[in-house]
Amino acid sequence: MRKTGRTFLAATAVVLALTATGCASKGGDGSHASSSTGGTGGGSSAPDAQAAALDPAALLKLVGEKTSAAKSAKVEATTEMGASKTVMKGAISWENGLQGEVSGNVGGAMAESISQAGGDGSITARYLSDAMYINMGEGMAGQLGGAHWIKYGYADLAKLMGAAGDSLKNQLQNADPISSVRALIASGKVEKTGTETVGGVKSTKYEGDLAAADLAQAASKGLTQDQTDALQKQFTASGITTEHIEVWISTDNLLVKKVEAFDSKVGKVVSTALYTDYGSSVTTSAPSASDTVDFAEIMKSAQAGS
């Protein structure tokens, strides 16, 4: 496979990782609050009485605990990164790191690259505890010796991509939907900015800006040191100085929607995710070995041939 093809496959991995995690990293102690987690994320008709009395930061902490406790959900995620746009749908769980499967389409510059390689823009990603698997359709299989799936082992990401790969590994192995909630708490500047109906769910919107300089005090604003360290690593690896964050919270204190926007080393990134059906059953397994190629092996073969 040509160098441009290898670069394209590496870029695809980054996009799919960001799409799945929403730039998320759980970090911290992973503590879960006991709560009712079923339904669409907005089933109750009135907010929890305790939550109604809390200030925005304290409420978001409660939301983080309840969403984390739900352990799984259906998700629709859109990632715009530079001139590429990826739209994916599926179901994920985050009880033991990111697991699940999402599928959809790629548009823009990356779609052009996929087309040149023989693909039609469709893409499926599976996430397991130790690796991410990507399938870009029958056309791409012709470039992979007939195999349909590319395996990106998390242990190999740092070796292949340096600090950015190490950051992605951390995000994928510790992902949950609520890093945005934690980030808003860390900013110390979160504001309630209105109410909206999102996907049929009555929701309250909160937003704020998290600057890299704010992270030094994040541990004193309700985050654990591990959570603060994870955010600092993400900012450093991605070249982020300020991130704008918006979240929509249902009346039963679950995350319904989030938007994260920031400038990074790869250009402007806007990540949007919608969550429904909290507590959904999520099962996934690795594709058959005979239908899989390892990206690390692709890189080794390329280096041996150069």
Side-chain angles (χ1 to χ4, degrees):
M1 180 172 285
R2 298 188 305 273
K3 181 179 180 180
T4 52
R6 301 194 302 273
T7 302
F8 161 66
L9 294 179
T12 302
V14 173
V15 171
L16 267 295
L18 292 178
T19 297
T21 64
C23 309
S25 181
K26 178 165 64 176
D29 58 8
S31 60
H32 292 159
S34 60
S35 61
S36 174
T37 59
T40 64
S44 60
S45 59
D48 180 273
Q50 176 188 5
L54 299 175
D55 63 50
L59 172 61
L60 287 175
K61 187 174 186 297
L62 176 63
V63 170
E65 292 170 346
K66 190 167 185 181
T67 300
S68 182
K71 302 179 182 179
S72 64
K74 292 181 180 178
V75 61
E76 179 177 345
T78 301
T79 301
E80 298 175 77
M81 188 165 70
S84 297
K85 181 177 181 179
T86 306
V87 181
M88 307 291 285
K89 294 182 180 181
I92 58 172
S93 68
W94 50 89
E95 182 177 12
N96 297 300
L98 180 66
Q99 297 191 46
E101 179 172 317
V102 295
S103 60
N105 292 278
V106 177
M110 185 163 287
E112 295 177 8
S113 297
I114 291 177
S115 178
Q116 291 173 5
D120 60 4
S122 64
I123 193 163
T124 298
R126 288 184 189 175
Y127 306 93
L128 279 78
S129 59
D130 62 345
M132 172 175 63
Y133 296 82
I134 296 176
N135 183 331
M136 287 180 279
E138 193 69 40
M140 276 295 295
Q143 303 292 322
L144 303 171
H148 293 84
W149 294 89
I150 305 168
K151 176 184 178 181
Y152 296 84
Y154 299 151
D156 295 322
L157 289 177
K159 300 176 185 176
L160 298 171
M161 302 168 62
D166 188 54
S167 178
L168 285 176
K169 173 188 175 184
N170 179 66
Q171 291 175 45
L172 288 162
Q173 289 189 315
N174 298 285
D176 66 13
I178 57 169
S179 65
S180 302
V181 170
R182 296 191 185 98
L184 279 177
I185 296 171
S187 73
K189 306 166 187 174
V190 56
E191 295 183 2
K192 177 181 176 180
T193 56
T195 57
E196 298 177 22
T197 298
V198 179
V201 178
K202 293 181 180 179
S203 307
T204 302
K205 182 181 179 182
Y206 299 86
E207 61 184 295
D209 294 313
L210 176 64
D214 297 330
L215 295 175
Q217 289 78 41
S220 65
K221 296 177 179 177
L223 274 69
T224 68
Q225 190 61 53
D226 282 349
Q227 290 166 348
T228 301
D229 291 345
L231 282 169
Q232 288 177 321
K233 288 180 180 179
Q234 177 188 325
F235 270 51
T236 299
S238 301
I240 303 170
T241 57
T242 302
E243 180 177 11
H244 180 70
I245 305 157
E246 301 175 3
V247 297
W248 286 257
I249 307 303
S250 70
T251 55
D252 54 357
N253 304 317
L254 287 167
L255 179 64
V256 176
K257 176 182 177 181
K258 66 177 181 179
V259 176
E260 300 174 73
F262 53 86
D263 291 317
S264 74
K265 294 176 181 177
V266 296
K268 185 172 182 62
V269 177
V270 179
S271 174
T272 303
L274 299 169
Y275 298 94
T276 61
D277 299 290
Y278 278 98
S280 295
S281 175
V282 176
T283 58
T284 190
S285 59
S288 65
S290 61
D291 199 25
T292 303
V293 294
D294 195 312
F295 185 62
E297 294 301 319
I298 292 174
M299 295 298 289
K300 287 180 182 178
S301 297
Q303 290 167 358
S306 59

